[in-house]
Amino acid sequence: MILSPFEWTIAKRYMLPGKGERFIALVAGISLVAVMLGVAALVIVMSVMNGFRAELFDKIVNLNGHAIIQAYGGRLDNWQSVLEDVRGTPGVTRASPLIEQPLLASFNGRVEAILVRGNTGEDINRLADKVKAGNLPELRTGSDNVAIGKQLAQNLGAQVGDVITIINPAGRSTPFGTVPRQIAYRIAAIFEIGVYDYDNAFVVMPMKDAQTLLLTGDQIGMIEVTTNNPDRVGEILAPLTRQLSGRAVVTDWRTINASLFEALAVERVAMFVILSIIVLVAVFNILSSLIMLVRAKTRDIAILRTMGATRHSLLKVFVTAGFCIGAMGTVAGVIIGFIFLYFRQPIVHLVEILTGQNLWDPSIRFLTELPARSDPVEIATICIMALVFSFLATLYPAYKAASTDPVQVLRYE
């Protein structure tokens, strides 16, 4: 829609009402602010939801892979040949043996439930960028060194260099019953993955040490698998699922975390719909301000019509006036949204200080910090939606202005 200089001049004049029309200007300003806040809320919430899902996915998958092959009974016999078959499957980029077993750990009278993970040296090295204290290379086979999560270290009151005792209830048999197996391990490193449940429970050690602790010999419990496309993991591993039927079960990341990711997807759609209604309500303010403007300018419109202005010109003038309000509100909303996202963590801390409430409890939110990840396509969708709503809100007032009969108006005024 191209405006002539005359039409653009009139549109600018109507976007800035005069002194006698300050109430109309106030309503127009409120409309702009309402659209701005609605768009900003959509940008912020959708980016945080995307960030929450992406961060959870990255942290969970980086630690557990895209799928787990778990043996029936917890012991995978002849696992070396199975591992070779997995690595030879098209689409599989990495496969490594894994031992995982819930046990207990004690230190200075404190006892915590833990999840012992026996990893290969390559998998242990993947934690290098997560280490907060200590030296990860000290986790060598036979060294009796372990790495533990940051939250678990806080719960036990332990630091790097301290010795914790890991208790395995499946110990040795005696005439008086089974005596739990207790082995002391030195804490060589403390890591923070960023997922509360992991940082609160994980104790990582070399695989041979885990086999010794659990008395499993050379057996393992599972194989973790990473593929080149996490969305096609079921299709990629389908041949393995058939091959291992009766010996092991193949479970992908969607099944393992189904309830969590489904809840996030539902909440994401619900938040988008609810916040879209806020934008819709905001553009009704544009509608009301334009209606008031048309009523206030009825005599001016009639004069313009008698001077030769066409109905189409007046239609474009009022559509432009209303659409510009929506466009400015949309642009301002996107800018404010990105500013909020950039300073989101300090803002959360400020609100916590002002309210005295813990707004981001990692034990509830899974992640230690508020994440955000903006999707350009989603941001463009939000902007287009706001602009379309703004355009539609201008049509009725613009039509009323264009249909004004100058003869009837000037006769009675």
Side-chain angles (χ1 to χ4, degrees), residues 294 301 315 395-404:
V294 169
I301 294 169
L315 187 70
L395 294 182
Y396 176 73
Y399 172 77
K400 293 296 291 181
S403 60
T404 299

Side-chain angles (χ1 to χ4, degrees), residues 24 26-36 38 275-293 322-323 325-326 385-397:
I24 298 175
L26 175 63
V27 174
I30 292 173
S31 305
L32 190 150
V33 172
V35 173
M36 176 186 71
L275 294 174
S276 296
I277 294 174
I278 295 177
V279 178
L280 184 60
V281 171
V283 300
F284 275 114
N285 289 329
I286 298 177
L287 175 65
S288 61
S289 65
L290 284 180
I291 289 175
M292 287 189 292
L293 182 62
F323 184 78
I325 294 174
M385 180 192 69
L387 294 175
V388 169
F389 283 171
S390 300
F391 174 76
L392 294 177
T394 65
L395 294 182
Y396 176 73

Side-chain angles (χ1 to χ4, degrees), residues 315-366:
L315 187 70
K316 291 196 291 183
V317 164
F318 282 92
V319 167
T320 301
F323 184 78
C324 285
I325 294 174
M328 288 187 290
T330 300
V331 172
V334 171
I335 293 172
I336 289 178
F338 281 125
I339 292 174
F340 186 96
L341 291 173
Y342 185 80
F343 294 103
R344 63 188 182 280
Q345 211 58 44
I347 290 174
V348 169
H349 292 324
L350 177 62
V351 175
E352 287 178 340
I353 293 172
L354 295 177
T355 61
Q357 299 293 322
N358 185 3
L359 300 181
W360 195 259
D361 186 352
S363 63
I364 299 174
R365 308 293 184 182
F366 294 101

Side-chain angles (χ1 to χ4, degrees), residues 208-219:
K208 289 291 185 182
D209 290 357
Q211 289 172 333
T212 301
L213 171 64
L214 299 173
L215 303 174
T216 60
D218 191 40
Q219 294 178 325

